[in-house]
């Protein structure tokens, strides 16, 4: 099974003070895709610089040629499908068809209340995503869309000429619950997981592997339920949130061991965080670059 290696570059630096060079270097290092988080602010970075995902990806498209670009992940927390579709079609055009949309239900972090609303319950987040994804699918695939839903509406929303990628840019749906997995099966070109959050603090790498095997099994069941072959979906693991934490970036050998175990589970893409000093994503940049250039070749 072929495995791809991608990275995620958090938007915490000014474009002229390191951000631009990181995106250029990501292409030079041969990453398949470089993603960024789509948040208004995030965890320990809340009181520091943090830039918007769509403008960042637009700028990245202008300084790269081959590297795919995307979000991990966009959520309904502060997005509306009509306006998001227009931005994504523009971004897909500017990049020459290199955009992947990671999309999920969101959480209860800072995005959940930044617009002045109360945080949505898990059920409401799932309800909104279940409406958001199919509508966004239509908006990116059809010239004009009218829709009246419980949460979102569109009135003859025009999206001409549509995406460069046909019938639309790919969705990578982040989900572990049955409803989200169903959305991935129906609308996704890829599925995204960070593992089982309950294992992050006190779990073991072996328990994490078992949990991920269970998630992959449920994805296969969701695909079967809609008559789709699960092999059609890419399976993406965003690292840094399993009990291994930053362990896979400690050395080339550690990464190769981690990547091999997860490739054998069925993952087709592993995403590692671009090193950020003095953070949960701190890592030796030389080791990081060695992993980028040699890690997949070492898997054989």
């Amino acid at each position: 099974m072929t495995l791809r290696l991608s990275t995620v570059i958090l938007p915490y630096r000014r474009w002229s003070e390191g951000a631009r060079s990181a995106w250029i270097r990501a292409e030079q290092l041969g990453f398949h895709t470089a993603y960024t988080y789509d948040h208004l602010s995030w965890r320990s970075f809340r009181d520091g610089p943090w830039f918007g995902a769509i403008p960042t990806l637009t700028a990245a498209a202008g300084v790269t040629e081959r590297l795919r670009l995307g979000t991990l992940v966009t959520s309904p927390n502060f997005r509306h499908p009509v306006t998001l579709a227009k931005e994504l079609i523009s971004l897909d055009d500017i990049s020459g068809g290199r955009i992947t949309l990671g999309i999920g239900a969101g959480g209860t972090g800072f995005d959940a209340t930044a617009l002045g609303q109360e945080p949505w319950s898990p059920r409401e987040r799932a309800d909104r995503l279940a409406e958001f994804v199919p509508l966004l699918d239509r908006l990116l695939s059809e010239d004009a869309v009218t829709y009246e839903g419980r949460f979102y509406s569109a009135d003859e929303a025009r999206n001409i000429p549509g995406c460069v990628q046909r019938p639309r840019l790919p969705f990578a749906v982040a989900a572990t619950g049955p409803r989200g997995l169903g959305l991935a099966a129906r609308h996704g070109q890829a599925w995204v997981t960070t593992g089982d959050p309950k294992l992050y603090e006190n779990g073991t790498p072996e328990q994490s592997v078992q949990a991920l095997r269970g998630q992959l099994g449920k994805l296969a069941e969701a695909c079967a339920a809609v008559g789709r072959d699960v092999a059609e979906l890419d399976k993406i693991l965003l690292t840094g949130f399993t009990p291994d934490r930053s362990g896979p970036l400690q050395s080339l050998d550690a990464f190769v061991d981690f990547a091999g175990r997860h490739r054998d589970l069925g993952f087709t893409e592993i995403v590692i965080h671009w090193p950020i000093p003095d953070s949960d994503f701190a890592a030796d940049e030389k080791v990081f670059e060695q992993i980028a250039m040699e890690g997949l070749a070492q898997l054989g």
Side-chain angles (χ1 to χ4, degrees):
M1 181 182 297
T2 301
L3 183 67
R4 297 191 293 261
L5 181 61
S6 298
T7 189
V8 57
I9 302 172
L10 269 61
Y12 74 101
R13 293 187 288 186
R14 290 191 182 276
W15 191 247
S16 61
E17 296 174 1
R20 180 181 185 274
S21 61
W23 291 91
I24 293 172
R25 186 60 177 153
E27 180 165 86
Q28 293 171 343
L29 289 170
F31 283 110
H32 176 264
T33 304
Y35 301 96
T36 197
Y37 287 4
D38 188 13
H39 290 292
L40 297 175
S41 59
W42 191 73
R43 297 189 185 181
S44 60
F45 295 86
R46 187 184 189 190
D47 294 323
W50 189 269
F51 295 94
I54 301 297
T56 294
L57 292 171
T58 303
V63 297
T64 57
E65 296 178 355
R66 303 173 305 279
L67 181 70
R68 286 197 64 83
L69 307 165
T71 59
L72 277 185
V73 297
T74 294
S75 82
N77 266 355
F78 63 95
R79 297 288 189 185
H80 190 286
V82 170
T83 52
L84 177 61
K86 184 66 70 175
E87 292 184 344
L88 290 171
I89 287 172
S90 303
L91 180 54
D92 199 50
D93 179 69
I94 291 166
S95 70
R98 292 186 284 136
I99 301 301
T100 295
L101 179 73
I103 188 165
T108 57
F110 306 126
D111 294 343
T113 57
L115 301 185
Q117 77 271 34
E118 291 296 316
W120 301 326
S121 67
R123 183 187 181 108
E124 182 170 353
R125 291 201 303 273
D127 288 346
R128 285 177 177 269
L129 188 68
E131 195 172 297
F132 194 103
V133 172
L135 177 55
L136 187 61
D137 191 335
R138 290 187 59 197
L139 288 162
L140 293 172
S141 307
E142 302 173 20
D143 288 347
V145 174
T146 295
Y147 171 82
E148 183 67 38
R150 177 183 171 194
F151 301 108
Y152 305 105
S153 300
D155 184 14
E156 296 187 19
R158 297 293 200 274
N159 283 306
I160 301 169
C163 296
V164 172
Q165 301 174 86
R166 292 293 181 173
R168 57 154 169 78
L169 55 82
F171 289 178
V173 180
T176 56
R179 297 179 69 190
L181 290 170
L183 289 172
R186 288 188 297 274
H187 300 279
Q189 285 64 57
W191 165 72
V192 184
T193 184
T194 57
D196 185 342
K198 295 191 295 293
L199 298 175
Y200 179 73
E201 291 294 338
N202 299 308
T204 66
E206 292 74 20
Q207 289 173 323
S208 178
V209 165
Q210 290 299 321
L212 289 167
R213 182 177 287 113
Q215 291 179 4
L216 287 160
K218 291 177 180 178
L219 177 66
E221 292 172 2
C223 286
V226 297
R228 188 174 184 189
D229 184 353
V230 70
E232 295 178 10
L233 274 74
D234 284 321
K235 292 88 177 172
I236 302 172
L237 175 62
L238 175 59
T239 65
F241 303 99
T242 62
D244 308 85
R245 294 179 173 80
S246 61
L249 299 185
Q250 294 302 307
S251 69
L252 178 60
D253 288 345
F255 172 79
V256 170
D257 178 69
F258 177 90
R261 282 186 284 121
H262 291 84
R263 178 193 61 182
D264 292 347
L265 281 178
F267 285 95
T268 60
E269 184 175 341
I270 289 179
V271 185
I272 57 177
H273 286 81
W274 199 270
I276 302 175
D278 303 317
S279 78
D280 290 341
F281 306 121
D284 186 299
E285 291 192 13
K286 290 182 179 179
V287 173
F288 175 84
E289 293 205 352
Q290 184 184 26
I291 288 168
M293 293 185 290
E294 304 175 28
L296 296 186
Q298 294 285 329
L299 280 173

